[in-house]
């Protein structure tokens, strides 16, 4: 079982860790999308500020950069590097506790069958989930989005 370096994701993982008697391994690449200059901006303003670049990533412009933060290439690489690390530890079906934005954007950017409407119609909230199948090297397929089978 894996969690981001953010304490709240480790706290969310704790009941499952206890139930399954599995340790929580902190994997740094699973943390939130860094907000850069927009850190601390009210959430109601996030679509115009913090999420402007990630929304461009979904449109194919991975060069778009969050001011003071990362671009889409760096984001995907960070998450994929952590997924490779998980795979290299021998995990066949890992459970990973991350953050809504990271989960949604990484999934929509990397799966072979993305449904971009999910961002508006069914965003991942706290304790939401996605299930993907694949590897960082061979690619990914979306199986479930928050418990609903992918089309």
């Amino acid at each position: 079982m894996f969690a981001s370096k953010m304490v709240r994701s480790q706290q969310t993982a704790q009941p499952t860790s206890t139930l399954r008697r599995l340790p929580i391994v902190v994997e740094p690449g699973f943390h939130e999308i860094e907000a850069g200059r927009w850190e601390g901006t009210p959430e109601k303003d996030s679509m115009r500020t913090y999420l402007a670049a990630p929304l461009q990533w979904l449109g194919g412009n991975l060069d778009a950069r969050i001011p003071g933060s990362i671009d889409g290439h760096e984001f995907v690489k960070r998450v994929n590097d952590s997924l490779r690390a998980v795979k290299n530890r021998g995990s066949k079906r890992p459970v990973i506790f991350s953050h809504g934005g990271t989960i949604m954007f990484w999934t929509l950017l990397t799966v072979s069958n993305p449904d971009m409407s999910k961002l508006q119609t069914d965003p991942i909230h706290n304790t939401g989930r996605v299930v993907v199948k694949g590897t960082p090297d061979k690619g990914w397929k979306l199986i479930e989005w928050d418990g609903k089978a992918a089309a």
Side-chain angles (χ1 to χ4, degrees):
M1 166 166 322
F2 301 86
S4 83
K5 63 185 181 180
M6 308 299 273
V7 172
R8 65 183 179 274
S9 71
Q10 295 165 42
Q11 291 169 332
T12 302
Q14 190 59 58
T16 303
S17 171
T18 300
L19 180 69
R20 298 289 183 198
R21 298 181 188 173
L22 295 170
I24 298 169
V25 177
V26 174
E27 185 57 50
F30 296 141
H31 65 84
E32 295 173 309
I33 302 171
E34 300 91 329
R37 181 171 21 153
W38 308 120
E39 188 68 39
T41 300
E43 200 167 307
K44 66 181 176 59
D45 297 330
S46 67
M47 291 296 276
R48 290 190 327 261
T49 56
Y50 168 59
L51 291 180
L55 290 170
Q56 288 183 55
W57 303 344
L58 294 179
N61 181 10
L62 293 178
D63 294 329
R65 181 173 296 280
I66 298 169
S69 185
I70 60 173
D71 67 22
H73 301 284
E74 294 164 328
F75 169 69
V76 170
K77 181 181 183 318
R78 171 174 54 91
V79 177
N80 281 345
D81 285 351
S82 281
L83 288 167
R84 271 188 201 87
V86 167
K87 182 179 179 262
N88 290 342
R89 287 186 186 102
S91 295
K92 302 258 187 250
R93 296 180 67 191
V95 175
I96 299 167
F97 290 81
S98 185
H99 306 272
T102 298
I103 294 166
M104 288 186 292
F105 282 94
W106 177 85
T107 300
L108 293 173
L109 286 166
T110 61
V111 298
S112 61
N113 59 331
D115 180 351
M116 297 301 179
S117 71
K118 294 288 191 188
L119 197 57
Q120 292 293 321
T121 63
D122 192 15
I124 300 296
H125 297 286
N126 288 341
T127 70
R129 70 187 180 109
V130 299
V131 177
V132 296
K133 186 174 183 176
T135 69
D137 299 316
K138 293 182 181 178
W140 302 96
K141 181 177 181 181
L142 178 62
I143 305 300
E144 290 181 27
W145 182 282
D146 206 21
K148 298 174 190 84

